[in-house]
Amino acid sequence: YEAGLKILPVDQDRQRAMLCFNMAVTLVRLDKPEKARDSLKRAVVLNPSHPGSHLLLARLYQSGGYRIPALLAAARFLSLEPATQRSGQARQIFLAMLQQGVSSGEDGSKINILVNDKAKKDEGDFTVLEVGLQMAMALQFSSEVEKAGKSQVRKVVDCFDRFLAMLAGGRLDKEPGFVSLYYVPYFSELQKQGFAEAFTYSIFSGAGNEEVDAWLRDNAAKAGGLEAWSKSYRWPDLKE
C-alpha cells in the first residue's frame, strides 16, 4: 500500500484515500489498531466524503476507549450515509457514546453519573467536554424533562445541541490533536450556522422513526440548507 501511495500522483486524492482505507482494513485484521487509525486519518483528510473511512475510524475509536472521537466520527459518517444497513451500526455507536456514564436510578428519582478519570488522552484531552456531555445527557433524565413528556428523539437532539454548543464555545482540548484539528472545526461551524437541530434529525432519517420523518418533512428548508452548507464546507488541509 505504501508503495502504491508513492506511485500515485499527489493530485489523485480519492485513489490515495482508498489505498489508505484498504491499508487500514488490513491493519485491523492484523490487530494493529493504532496504525489502522493513522491510516484512516490520512484517508479522511484525502477524501472527507468517503463514509467507510469515518465508520471504521469510529469503530476503532470506540473499541479503543476514545469517547468524543468515536462520537464525532460516527456523526460524520451518518451525515454522509444516514439510511443504509451500516447506518444502524453507526447510530448505535453515536448513541452509546452520547449516553455513556449516565443512567437513571431504579425508581427514576436519581441520576447516576460515572466520570471516567482514566480516559485516554493520546487522541486529545477531552476531559472538560466529556464532563459537559454527561451533564447535558443527565439533564435529559431530570424530572422537569420527564414531566414535559419529551420524546427520546427530542432528548437526543437537545443533548447533542448542547454538546455542540460547548464544542463551538472554545478550544477544550489542551493539546490539539487530529480530532481537534479535523472533526471539531466542522461541528463547531455547523453549530454556529444554526444547523445543530437539523443535523441530528437528519442522521436519524433512515431509522424508521415517524417523529424524525415528520420533522424533516416540516423543515425541508432547514434540512436542505444543512446539506448545501455541508457540501460546500472546506475541510482543513492536514496532508503530510
Side-chain angles (χ1 to χ4, degrees):
Y1 294 107
E2 289 291 352
L5 288 171
K6 292 179 181 179
I7 294 173
L8 275 175
V10 293
D11 61 344
Q12 294 187 20
D13 286 349
R14 289 182 179 273
Q15 293 87 337
R16 292 169 66 83
M18 282 307 301
L19 275 177
C20 290
F21 173 73
N22 290 330
M23 187 191 318
V25 172
T26 300
L27 289 166
V28 169
R29 290 172 180 166
L30 295 173
D31 195 23
K32 296 182 178 180
E34 294 84 4
K35 290 185 178 181
R37 289 202 308 268
D38 289 340
S39 188
L40 288 167
K41 291 173 188 177
R42 295 168 70 184
V44 298
V45 167
L46 288 165
N47 184 7
S49 298
H50 182 245
S53 296
H54 294 286
L55 179 57
L56 184 52
L57 191 51
R59 288 172 175 165
L60 290 174
Y61 277 142
Q62 181 187 33
S63 62
Y66 302 98
R67 182 185 186 183
I68 300 302
L71 176 67
L72 296 180
R76 174 55 183 160
F77 166 83
L78 287 166
S79 72
L80 295 166
E81 193 176 303
T84 67
Q85 186 175 2
R86 297 193 300 180
S87 305
Q89 302 167 15
R91 275 190 286 271
Q92 288 180 355
I93 297 174
F94 177 83
L95 290 173
M97 297 300 95
L98 197 70
Q99 300 167 352
Q100 183 175 295
V102 181
S103 62
S104 59
E106 293 183 1
D107 60 356
S109 62
K110 290 184 178 181
I111 301 172
N112 302 315
I113 299 177
L114 179 62
V115 178
N116 182 9
D117 57 359
K118 296 182 180 180
K120 296 179 181 179
K121 296 181 174 60
D122 56 300
E123 288 284 355
D125 185 353
F126 299 105
T127 303
V128 174
L129 202 55
E130 286 202 30
V131 173
L133 176 56
Q134 287 180 304
M135 296 303 294
M137 192 70 241
L139 181 62
Q140 305 309 315
F141 286 93
S142 68
S143 58
E144 290 80 4
V145 170
E146 294 298 333
K147 290 178 181 177
K150 188 183 294 187
S151 70
Q152 292 300 316
V153 170
R154 190 67 228 185
K155 289 179 181 179
V156 170
V157 170
D158 290 348
C159 179
F160 196 58
D161 188 12
R162 287 176 177 271
F163 168 74
L164 292 184
M166 288 185 284
L167 204 66
R171 199 182 83 186
L172 298 176
D173 182 1
K174 298 176 182 177
E175 297 181 5
F178 175 80
V179 174
S180 292
L181 296 174
Y182 182 79
Y183 284 116
V184 169
Y186 171 82
F187 286 100
S188 295
E189 188 61 26
L190 182 151
Q191 199 277 337
K192 292 176 182 177
Q193 293 292 328
F195 291 127
E197 182 182 37
F199 179 88
T200 312
Y201 274 111
S202 69
I203 65 176
F204 281 85
S205 62
N209 183 287
E210 292 183 4
E211 179 184 346
V212 171
D213 294 342
W215 191 95
L216 291 171
R217 285 195 303 270
D218 295 341
N219 296 272
K222 290 182 180 179
L226 165 64
E227 183 178 7
W229 171 83
S230 188
K231 286 182 177 179
S232 65
Y233 176 80
R234 297 188 64 178
W235 289 86
D237 186 358
L238 303 178
K239 299 174 186 175
E240 298 177 354

